[in-house]
Amino acid sequence: MKRAAWIFVLAVFLPSLVLGLLALRTAREQSVILERQASALRQQETDAAAQTIREALFARQAEFIASVQTFLKSRPPQVASVEFYRNFSNMWGDGSVPFATSLNGVICSPRATDAAPAALEFLKQNSALLGNSVEVEFFQTQKSANSAENQKVDNAYAAKAAYVQKMEVAGKTGAAKRNVLPQKLPAEDKNASESQLVPEISNFRKVVQNASDGILARFVENKLEVIFWMRGPDNLVFGLMLPASQLNTLVQNSMPSSQGRSNDACMAVLNENTVPVAQSPPGFKANWKHPFVATEIGDSLPHWEVALYLAHPEQFETSARSFTFILLALIGISLGAICVGGYLVVSDARRQMALAEKKTNFVSNVSHELKTPLTSIRMFSELLQKPGIDESRRIKYLRIITLESERLTRLINNVLDFARMEGKRKSYQKHEVDLYPVIERTWESQSAHLQESGFTTTWHAAEPPYSVIGDEDALAQVLVNLLSNAEKYSTTEKSIELHTYFTDMQLCIAVLDRGIGVAPGQETKIFEAFYRSDDSLSSGVQGSGLGLTLARRIAEDHEGSIRLEARQGGGSTFTFCIPISKKSIHEKDSYR
Ligand code: ADP
C-alpha cells in the first residue's frame, strides 16, 4: 500500500502539481504580455499626439517663414529688418514678438523706441542672447544646412543612439528627470524615466549660422520661451518669440479628440510645470505626475509631455490578481479532487485486498469445516460396521453421525444462502406466521444437544402468539446461527439463555452467553462477510465467517435488525428484532 501511495504521488500528484504551477506561470506571463500590449497601444496614442503637436508647431513655423519671405520680396533686406517688428507684431498678435537681428549681434527690431511693453520685455530678456554676448542653455530643432533634402529633424524624440551621442556632445553624464513618472515605462528603454532632451550651451550666432531656420526653446526665469527663426539675406536673422498663451492655444487646437478612445482614459498635455494645458475629455481628475504612459513632445517644447491617465489605473493589477486567485483556486480544487480520488482508489484497493484475503481464509475455513464432520461421519460409520458392537455404543455413534451431518447441512445452507443473497437470487416464502412454535422447535432440538455438551439452557418467553410476517425457515436459521455461535464461543462458563419479548411493536429474540465476548472495535466488523475474529485453524473454533452476515441480511430483509451488546460479567447478547404483524398489534395492546 505504501508503494501504491508512492506511485500515486510520483505519477499523479507531482505531475499535476507541476502542470498546475506551469499553468500559473504561463498565465502570469500572458497577463504581463497583455498588460504590455495594452500599455504599448496607449504609448502609441501618446506618441502620435506628441507627433501631431510637433507637426502643428512646424506648420506654424513654416507659415512664419513663408510670410517673412513674402515680406522680404517687397523691400530691401536692411529696410525689412528695421520695419520687421512694426509689420509683424499685428500679424502674429497676442503677445508674440517679431524680431530681426544680424549675425554680428546688432538688433534691428524691435527697438527701444517701439515702446510696446511686450517688445520692451523681450529686449530686456533677449538682448544679451541676440547680441551674442552670452552663452545660454537652450533646446533647438532646426533644418540642417548641410542636408541634401533639407529635411526637418526633430532631435527631441529621435532614436536612442542620437540621444546618447547628444549626451556625449553635451559632455553630460546624466539626463534630467522627467516631470512625470509613468506607471508603464517601455521595457526596452531603461532610461525612460529620464528626460530624453539634452540642452546645448552656446550663443545665438553659433546656433543660427549653420542652418537656414529652426525652433529654439529656452527657459527664462523658469518660463518657456519658444523662438521661430530663419536666415535672411545680408546675414540677417528674422525671428518670432511665441508667448505661453499662443503655445497653449496651439496645443489645444492640435489635441486629438477623445472620439474613439474608451472613456476610461484621459489624454492631457502637461507644460513644464506639470500643469495640464489641454486635456480630453475635459474635467478628468488625476494625479498628473503619475500617468499610465507619457511621451515627451521634444526639443521644440522641452519638458512638455503628452500623458495618458486611466480612470482605474489599478485595473491591471486587480484583474491579474483575481486571475491568479481563480487559477490558484482551480489548482487547489483539482489537487484536492486528485487527493480525494486517490484516497478513494487506495482505500477501495485496500478493501478489495482485505476482501480477497478474507475469501482465501474462507476457502480454507470452509474446507476445514467440511473435512472435520466428514471425517467423524466416516470414522463412526466404519465403527458401526464392525461386528459385535453393543447397543449403547451403536446409539451413541448414530447420534454423533446425526449431529455431524446437521453441522454439515448448516454450513452448506449458510454458504448456499450467502451465494443466493450475493446473486440476489434468495427468495423468501413470507406469510403471517406465529413464530412461537418455530422458536420452540428450534430451541428444543438445540438445547438438547447443548445440554449434552454440558450447557445450562434457559428460555424466558413472553406470552405467545408471536405473530410476524416472514419466512419461518429463514427466521429459524437466524436463531440456529446465534445459538451455534453461543456454543462455539463459550469456553469455561457454559450457560446459554434465550429471551423472547416484545418492545416497540417488535418481537425480539435475544441469545445470551457467557463466552469469550467480542473484542472492542470488532462490534460491526463481525457482521461483515467472511470476517472472523480468529482464524479457525489457529483458534480451533470452526466457522466460515458467514453466520452473522446471513443473520443480519435475513433480519434486514424482514425490516428488522440485529445487534450485539457485551454482557456485564462476560459474554455477549445478540438480539434479533423484527416487527410484529398489524393483526398482532391489535390483539396485543399491552406490548406498547
Ligand atoms: P463464524 O463462522 O466465524 O462463527 P460468524 O459470522 O457467525 O462466523 O461470526 C463472526 C465472528 O464473530 C466470529 O468469528 C466470532 O469472532 C464473532 N462471534 C460471533 N458470535 C460470537 C459470540 N457469541 N461470542 C463471541 N464472539 C462471537
Side-chain angles (χ1 to χ4, degrees), residues 51-247:
Q51 179 68 23
T52 311
I53 293 169
R54 284 197 294 270
E55 279 166 6
L57 212 63
F58 293 142
R60 200 62 179 272
Q61 187 214 9
E63 241 178 88
F64 165 73
I65 292 168
S67 56
V68 174
Q69 279 165 350
T70 317
F71 181 67
L72 283 170
K73 275 183 195 153
S74 57
R75 63 211 79 199
Q78 293 302 333
V79 179
S81 68
V82 176
E83 293 176 356
F84 191 64
Y85 176 79
R86 231 173 297 135
N87 281 275
F88 272 72
S89 60
N90 293 334
M91 184 175 162
W92 293 89
D94 203 14
S96 56
V97 180
F99 65 89
T101 178
S102 75
L103 267 187
N104 297 332
V106 180
I107 301 171
C108 309
S109 74
R111 290 173 181 272
T113 48
D114 286 325
L120 293 176
E121 179 66 19
F122 174 80
L123 285 174
K124 192 174 139 208
Q125 301 289 6
N126 295 290
S127 306
L129 170 76
L130 300 177
N132 297 328
S133 57
V134 285
E135 292 209 320
V136 292
E137 201 179 86
F138 60 88
F139 302 83
Q140 66 156 329
T141 315
Q142 64 183 29
K143 282 182 185 175
S144 165
N146 305 325
S147 166
E149 296 161 6
N150 211 11
Q151 201 182 11
K152 273 202 166 73
V153 179
D154 185 1
N155 292 329
Y157 221 79
K160 189 77 182 167
Y163 162 67
V164 172
Q165 215 179 349
K166 269 176 80 178
M167 293 266 285
E168 280 166 7
V169 169
K172 293 216 166 185
T173 48
K177 286 277 168 217
R178 288 169 71 174
N179 285 343
V180 296
L181 186 63
Q183 284 173 32
K184 299 291 158 199
L185 298 170
E188 67 280 2
D189 192 348
K190 290 198 185 89
N191 294 320
S193 63
E194 294 173 353
S195 175
Q196 304 284 312
L197 313 177
V198 181
E200 292 174 34
I201 299 170
S202 185
N203 68 25
F204 188 66
R205 182 193 172 97
K206 283 186 197 151
V207 174
V208 299
Q209 70 184 0
N210 291 327
S212 60
D213 62 80
I215 300 174
L216 190 144
R218 68 179 189 126
F219 290 96
V220 181
E221 292 172 359
N222 285 333
K223 274 195 205 141
L224 179 66
E225 192 179 275
V226 174
I227 293 170
F228 295 159
W229 63 266
M230 65 160 282
R231 292 276 304 276
D234 295 351
N235 279 340
L236 287 169
V237 179
F238 295 89
L240 180 75
M241 192 277 292
L242 294 178
S245 62
Q246 285 229 11
L247 292 174

Side-chain angles (χ1 to χ4, degrees), residues 485-486 488-489 513 516-518 526 531-534 542-549 572 574:
N485 279 351
K488 280 197 295 186
Y489 299 107
D513 63 52
I516 56 171
V518 174
I526 57 171
Y531 184 84
R532 303 206 66 215
S533 296
D534 290 302
Q542 288 165 12
S544 59
L546 289 180
L548 287 179
T549 313
S572 325
F574 283 87

Side-chain angles (χ1 to χ4, degrees), residues 365 369 411 414 481-490 511-513 515-519 522 525-536 541-550 564 571-574:
N365 287 343
E369 244 197 275
L411 172 74
N414 275 350
N481 284 355
L482 294 182
L483 287 171
S484 160
N485 279 351
E487 179 194 358
K488 280 197 295 186
Y489 299 107
S490 291
V511 175
L512 297 81
D513 63 52
I516 56 171
V518 174
Q522 301 199 340
K525 281 188 182 160
I526 57 171
F527 291 96
E528 287 172 11
F530 312 120
Y531 184 84
R532 303 206 66 215
S533 296
D534 290 302
D535 191 34
S536 333
V541 182
Q542 288 165 12
S544 59
L546 289 180
L548 287 179
T549 313
L550 282 172
L564 157 72
S572 325
T573 304
F574 283 87

Side-chain angles (χ1 to χ4, degrees), residues 561-572:
S561 61
I562 188 161
R563 64 175 188 273
L564 157 72
E565 282 147 334
R567 283 185 81 185
Q568 281 266 316
S572 325

